[in-house]
Amino acid sequence: MFCAYFLGNLASQLGPAVCLELGECMDVLSLLDELLRSREVPLSVDELLVTLPDGRPIPPRATTCDVEEVRVLRLLRGG
Amino acid sequence: MQVYGLWGKVLDVDLSTGRVSEERIHPITYRTFLGGRGLATYVLWRELGRKWRSVDPLGPENILAILTGPLTGYYPGIKLVVSGKSPQSCGVVGSAISSHVAYSIKAAGYDGILIRGASRDSVYVYVRDDLVEIRDASRLWGLRGLEFVKSLRRELGRDAPSLYIGPAGENLVRTAAVMARWFHAAGYGGYGAVMGSKKLKAVVVEGSGPLPPVARREEFLKLRYEVMDRVAARATFRMWGTTSGLWRVGYETSSEPVRNWVEEWHSREDFNHVVIERKYWIKNPWADWGCPLACMKVSRAVIDGATYYTDGPDYEMGAYLGSNLGVFEVDKAIALSALADDLGLCGIQTGNAVGFAVELYERGVITRDDVGYDLRWGDFNGLRKLVEDVAYRRGFGNVLAEGTYRAAIEVARMKGLPPEEVLKYAVQVKGVGVGAHGIRSRRDYPQPVAYAASVQGGDHTSVAGLPVNSEESEVWSAFLDSAVVCSFTSVEEDTMLKFLDAVTGWGITREELYGTVGLRILSLQRILLLLGGPDVRWDPRVHDDNPPRFYEPLPSGPYAGSTVSRDEVLKSVAEYYKQLGWDEYGVPTEETLKKLGLYDAVETVRALRRELGAS
């Protein structure tokens, strides 16, 4: 089971958490990208902060077999 | 005690007496307030806190603080914070600006510059390492931005990093910005007017020395390279900067101001970053010192034989001086943005005030007799004239030069209307026009509580948010503005704190950041905001709220009908205050103040609570 927990307005768009039962290891960022597209959220993953639940960054090229939970919020605030 | 990443001293310049001195800042003060916004708030509280209500932001008593932070020069990107008692909110606003001056101040051997008093004649402050002079600025006074930069170059014989004001600041326009390098602005707060009130045209800094040593050099270098790589990989932002917001925020998330926020959506496919990139950008990418993101671009437009230059325009400028005024022709939005830059006006606050005026005109609240000419959505010539009139305080421009909130009060007086009949069109919070990111669609980043509970009013770079112990919180903004880091190059809190630790050796933990350090800065800002004065005071029961417009359902776009309810907002505000350790009025409790070590604020808070009738 892989779970992504969303903060702020992302939570009002996607719900506070999305948990998925996956049959294979998937790249975490690619999976989130797919999720955003399927829910029609107009953001790319480089506009998000994706961390472990304790706030540490996820390892580079982390897969859903490496991490079970991530915390996701918008990175770019303003402009 | 050794301080790393900082010099432990700021320049103190008194323009009334001409006295220049160095003030040592105790290492514990830095550890407690970091720098930038935090240090400015501390200095203002310490020196003006007891008489805050009587201090005129545009009087000689106010202190203009130009401060770097412990991460200035080390963390990718280069920013400093301009602060003081704000002529907009009458609280403290930390107004960040990208400028080579930030690096140069540290290379000159200081962490910042405090400017107090007021000169009788126009001057500029010149710093070259340990040489500090107050110089005559009579040849520079009155010049617009582009001409000022050229003239300063002629005077010094070279380009030198500078912060300066245009005619708007000189004329004490409350929406005036502190400018740098033609197009950069510290707009929120209105500190251009504070510089003008001190007869200070510019601060020029040429530092040639090294940066202060860091605590752990190897670890710092490793983190710096890691962050540089991560930031440089932000391809979308690097390619289009914030300009892409003109399409993305307007069309995709429905949160862009359109015609004074009557709408937040548009479908103008010719009003977007790709058109601007193809037809108007003459330089891309463009960056200040040490920034791997390079999100800035330079655009040029020619209208009726006049050539206009601006950056981007970045999203906020393009939105506020474009769609918010009903202008959907890119060249005209560029021209208005360039005009605001050149006059030294904050594009956000000015676009907010001008949009408010156009709506009043279209509704017949004000007429041609008041303005002197027609004001219509999208009418470039009328809008251009009004922007200039604001900067020079001419005619109705003089009313708008007070900012949207004060202008609304004045229009109500002029027309014999109850203030709320005009304030309902003013999209501002606590004297600060709301940044160009709406809350009604909930598809953008500001939460419904964002502006209502912010200590910086409508400032979109410092929004309140839940939970308070996350990057959604205003505590995080206070941290970024105090460390001092550009939010666009920031990463997650864990790495940011490791970076801070490698530079300073302070060992600040996540719990400390949210529980004490950031909260301390925010709490002091909140106290000073509630003190306010002399001309405005904010009652939390009335003013900790969104502009009325934000409770109207969105009339158009994919999220038509969306809105937020006032009940929901007020509940969120209450929850936000509770999580911060503030009482039901948003006043920090005595227990919280003691936890934060702010014992000298306890009496002030007791008095505030008495005034509010709290038990």
Side-chain angles (χ1 to χ4, degrees), chain A residues 7-9 12-13 40 42-44 46-47 49-51 54-57 71 73-79, chain B residues 234-237 242 248 252 315-316 437 442-447 460 463 470-472 488 490 492 494-495:
Chain A
L7 269 67
N9 281 350
S12 60
Q13 290 169 265
E40 296 183 343
L43 288 171
S44 60
D46 65 357
E47 295 169 288
L49 261 184
V50 184
T51 74
D54 62 3
R56 286 182 295 131
R71 192 182 65 123
L73 65 158
R74 284 181 73 126
L75 166 67
L76 299 174
R77 304 163 66 80
Chain B
R234 290 173 183 168
T236 313
F237 209 69
T242 66
R248 302 190 62 197
E252 292 178 344
Y315 165 67
E316 293 285 332
H437 293 270
R442 297 172 203 251
R443 293 301 190 274
D444 205 339
Y445 72 91
Q447 298 176 22
H460 76 284
V463 294
S470 75
E471 293 95 330
E472 288 284 327
F488 297 142
S490 67
E492 67 286 330
D494 183 75
T495 303

Side-chain angles (χ1 to χ4, degrees), chain B residues 136-204:
Chain B
D136 171 41
S138 55
R139 290 177 306 284
L140 302 170
W141 197 258
L143 296 182
R144 295 184 179 202
L146 293 174
E147 196 50 49
F148 164 81
V149 173
K150 277 190 219 163
S151 297
L152 184 69
R153 185 188 300 146
R154 275 198 299 272
E155 178 157 330
L156 298 176
R158 60 194 174 278
D159 278 317
S162 64
L163 300 173
Y164 59 89
I165 56 170
E170 295 172 8
N171 294 319
L172 312 191
V173 172
R174 286 182 199 261
T175 64
V178 175
M179 305 297 297
R181 213 183 184 200
W182 310 300
F183 318 129
H184 299 336
Y188 282 117
Y191 297 113
V194 175
M195 279 183 70
S197 72
K198 296 182 180 303
K199 285 285 210 177
L200 177 65
K201 179 70 178 178
V203 176
V204 183

